[in-house]
């Protein structure tokens, strides 16, 4: 069964898409084409979109699913003229909350993802800059300012996780790659000197060697770097180091960046500088 879902907003569409995808992910047996339509903030745009939805219904032979966070009642009414199963997030939740809180909602467009507090916005920017400046062991002299330092073999997910922690939570995350340069004379992996003073900040990432080989093959096909033997050796050495030094770590193989980050925060007790967007 194939269906189309529209995530519609008079703002960025992030809230409608996030909630919509979370809800629809529960229906694995249904093939759903998901379309995000942000900034539907005029009657003309709403009318044009309603025509697209109507055309989609005719093409699919099924009414589309419409999930919206539109604030303006007139624009919402235009969208409601189109055939579809409609989930109006604001009216579903805001009206009961108004009754409970005894006050009216401001019904302001884009409040969730607006800049809001200048301090929070600048904190987000500084955290992202820190993650970029301290990517891949680039500036180890700044590690005293880091909230956490991710360690792991190349291509195990250190960089995207660092950036997600910065962007979503304002956490200053650095990351350092464990490479053959860190091997001891007996061939075992040792903790790099730059990390020794910051052991309490270290958090390890690991990954299934088969998955790692596949990822590396996309970057350097048929190389020693991407070979199964090399990947297996590096992963085993990194995990042994984590266990010997009691460094907490997560296997990233089957987790999304969001899951890796939240599990990391839960395990370490890292303080968020702000709530996720």
């Amino acid at each position: 069964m194939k269906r189309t879902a529209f995530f519609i907003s008079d703002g960025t569409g992030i809230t409608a898409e996030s909630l919509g995808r979370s809800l629809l992910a529960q229906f694995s047996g249904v093939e759903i084409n998901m379309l995000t339509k942000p900034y539907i903030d005029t009657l003309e745009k709403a009318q044009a979109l309603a025509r697209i939805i109507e055309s989609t219904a005719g093409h699919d032979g099924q009414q589309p699913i419409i999930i919206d966070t539109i604030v303006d009642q007139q624009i919402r009414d235009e969208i409601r003229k189109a055939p579809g199963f409609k989930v109006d997030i604001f009216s579903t939740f805001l009206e009961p909350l108004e009754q409970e809180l005894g006050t009216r909602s401001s019904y302001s467009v884009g409040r969730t993802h607006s800049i809001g507090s200048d301090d929070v916005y600048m904190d987000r920017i500084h955290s992202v800059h820190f993650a970029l400046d301290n990517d891949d062991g680039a500036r180890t002299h700044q590690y005293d300012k880091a909230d956490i330092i991710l360690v792991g073999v190349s291509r195990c997910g250190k960089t995207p996780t660092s950036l997600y922690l910065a962007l979503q939570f304002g956490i200053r995350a650095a990351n350092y790659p464990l490479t053959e340069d860190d091997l001891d004379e007996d061939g075992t992996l040792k903790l790099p000197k730059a990390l020794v003073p910051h052991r309490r900040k270290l958090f390890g990432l690991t990954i299934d060697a088969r998955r790692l080989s596949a990822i590396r093959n996309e970057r350097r096909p048929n190389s020693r770097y991407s070979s199964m033997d090399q990947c297996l050796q590096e992963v085993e050495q990194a995990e042994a180091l984590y266990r010997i030094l009691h460094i907490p770590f997560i296997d990233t193989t089957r987790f999304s960046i969001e899951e890796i980050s939240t599990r990391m925060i839960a395990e370490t007790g890292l303080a968020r500088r702000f709530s996720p967007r």
Side-chain angles (χ1 to χ4, degrees):
M1 181 167 55
K2 182 177 181 180
R3 300 290 290 270
T4 299
F6 288 89
F7 308 135
I8 306 170
S9 174
D10 38 17
T12 63
I14 295 172
T15 300
E17 180 176 353
S18 297
L19 181 56
R21 286 184 178 275
S22 295
L23 293 172
L24 296 174
Q26 306 304 313
F27 302 93
S28 57
V30 183
E31 182 183 351
I32 302 177
N33 180 30
M34 303 182 192
L35 303 174
T36 302
K37 300 294 182 180
Y39 299 112
I40 305 300
D41 51 9
T42 67
L43 288 176
E44 291 75 18
K45 290 180 182 178
Q47 290 162 357
L49 180 56
R51 290 192 291 270
I52 292 173
I53 294 171
E54 185 174 3
S55 174
T56 301
H59 180 271
D60 290 352
Q62 298 269 10
Q63 64 175 356
I65 297 161
I66 300 171
I67 298 177
D68 80 81
T69 54
I70 293 174
V71 171
D72 187 282
Q73 186 62 52
Q74 287 184 302
I75 294 174
R76 191 187 305 157
D77 289 342
E78 285 297 325
I79 296 297
R80 286 193 168 277
K81 293 177 183 178
F85 176 81
K86 301 172 181 70
V87 181
D88 184 339
I89 295 173
F90 279 176
S91 66
T92 300
F93 297 107
L94 282 183
E95 290 175 9
L97 278 171
E98 287 176 337
Q99 294 177 15
E100 176 64 25
L101 297 174
T103 185
R104 290 280 293 171
S105 162
S106 64
Y107 286 87
S108 300
V109 176
R111 289 294 293 271
T112 305
H113 302 284
S114 60
I115 288 178
S117 165
D118 287 343
D119 291 341
V120 170
Y121 182 73
M122 292 310 299
D123 218 356
R124 184 189 304 277
I125 297 301
H126 290 323
S127 298
V128 171
H129 283 170
F130 185 89
L132 292 171
D133 287 344
N134 292 276
D135 182 43
D136 223 20
R139 298 187 181 182
T140 57
H141 66 278
Q142 294 185 354
Y143 282 2
D144 59 321
K145 299 180 178 68
D147 297 318
I148 192 168
I149 304 168
L150 307 186
V151 294
V153 301
S154 172
R155 310 300 286 179
C156 69
K158 299 185 300 300
T159 297
T161 303
S162 298
L163 287 170
Y164 185 85
L165 287 168
L167 186 62
Q168 293 294 315
F169 305 110
I171 291 171
R172 285 161 173 71
N175 73 79
Y176 191 99
L178 299 176
T179 68
E180 289 183 326
D181 293 338
D182 303 311
L183 291 177
D184 221 333
E185 291 181 0
D186 61 358
T188 59
L189 197 63
K190 62 183 178 181
L191 192 66
K193 290 182 180 179
L195 300 179
V196 172
H198 309 287
R199 272 185 58 175
R200 64 181 180 82
K201 296 183 179 182
L202 302 184
F203 198 99
L205 300 184
T206 188
I207 188 172
D208 179 79
R210 291 182 296 273
R211 175 64 180 149
L212 180 62
S213 178
I215 293 171
R216 288 183 174 184
N217 259 302
E218 294 177 2
R219 190 177 187 184
R220 298 183 198 168
N222 304 316
S223 64
R224 176 174 175 269
Y225 168 77
S226 62
S227 70
M228 186 62 194
D229 287 345
Q230 180 67 20
C231 291
L232 186 61
Q233 178 181 326
E234 289 185 32
V235 168
E236 287 178 346
Q237 288 174 334
E239 290 184 3
L241 180 70
Y242 301 154
R243 293 188 178 97
I244 291 169
L245 299 180
H246 304 290
I247 298 171
F249 67 95
I250 286 177
D251 186 334
T252 66
T253 308
R254 293 176 180 82
F255 291 136
S256 66
I257 294 170
E258 293 88 348
E259 290 173 305
I260 295 167
S261 300
T262 51
R263 285 171 181 269
M264 191 180 300
I265 290 170
E267 188 165 336
T268 61
L270 273 174
R272 309 178 184 193
R273 286 187 172 82
F274 45 74
S275 299
R277 307 294 281 181

